[in-house]
């Protein structure tokens, strides 16, 4: 994963065109070509090797379904704190290796891989 972060002004310089410029583009140190797939939204873009696109889409679908279920339960009155059993995650005091992310994975509330 590579991110320039938010940069509203856009490019501020014009570099020499690289010899492979018509075959690939560079995003930081990473070349992007026709063998890649680009996903984008208002938060940014993600370049993925085409061979991994189905896996990325399946993961995105699982995240979407988890988030929708969490939202449905919030509308029904169940707080996200309760859904994530946040108070149970206090186990970290006894086990510094027990992160909140690990806790969410244990209870099935993780939205990221």
């Amino acid at each position: 994963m590579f991110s320039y972060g938010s940069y509203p002004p856009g490019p501020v310089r014009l570099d020499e065109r690289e010899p492979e410029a018509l075959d690939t583009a560079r995003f930081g140190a990473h070349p992007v070509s026709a063998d890649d797939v680009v996903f984008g939204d208002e938060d940014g873009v993600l370049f993925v090797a085409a061979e991994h696109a189905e896996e990325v889409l399946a993961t995105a679908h699982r995240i979407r379904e988890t988030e929708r279920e969490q939202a449905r339960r919030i509308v029904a009155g169940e707080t996200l704190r309760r859904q994530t059993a946040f108070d149970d995650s206090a186990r970290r005091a006894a086990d510094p290796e027990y992160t909140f992310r690990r806790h969410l994975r244990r209870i099935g509330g993780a939205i990221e891989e």
Side-chain angles (χ1 to χ4, degrees), residues 3-69:
S3 174
Y4 280 124
S6 177
Y7 196 70
V12 293
R13 67 177 193 272
L14 179 61
D15 295 337
E16 289 275 330
R17 185 163 69 176
E18 296 181 15
E20 63 276 351
L22 299 178
D23 297 318
T24 62
R26 287 205 168 275
F27 191 77
H30 309 282
V32 180
S33 73
D35 295 329
D36 299 308
V37 177
V38 181
F39 300 100
D41 66 12
E42 63 274 0
D43 293 324
V45 295
L46 176 65
F47 302 95
V48 177
E51 64 199 48
H52 300 294
E54 289 300 318
E55 178 185 353
V56 169
L57 287 170
T59 299
H61 180 74
R62 284 192 308 273
I63 290 169
R64 176 179 169 252
E65 293 305 309
T66 299
E67 288 177 336
R68 283 187 169 203
E69 178 59 15

Side-chain angles (χ1 to χ4, degrees), residues 76-98:
E78 185 178 359
T79 67
L80 189 58
R81 182 181 187 94
R82 184 171 181 164
Q83 288 180 49
T84 60
F86 187 80
D87 295 332
D88 293 346
S89 72
R91 175 175 157 175
R92 181 156 190 220
D95 180 5
E97 299 293 315
Y98 190 73

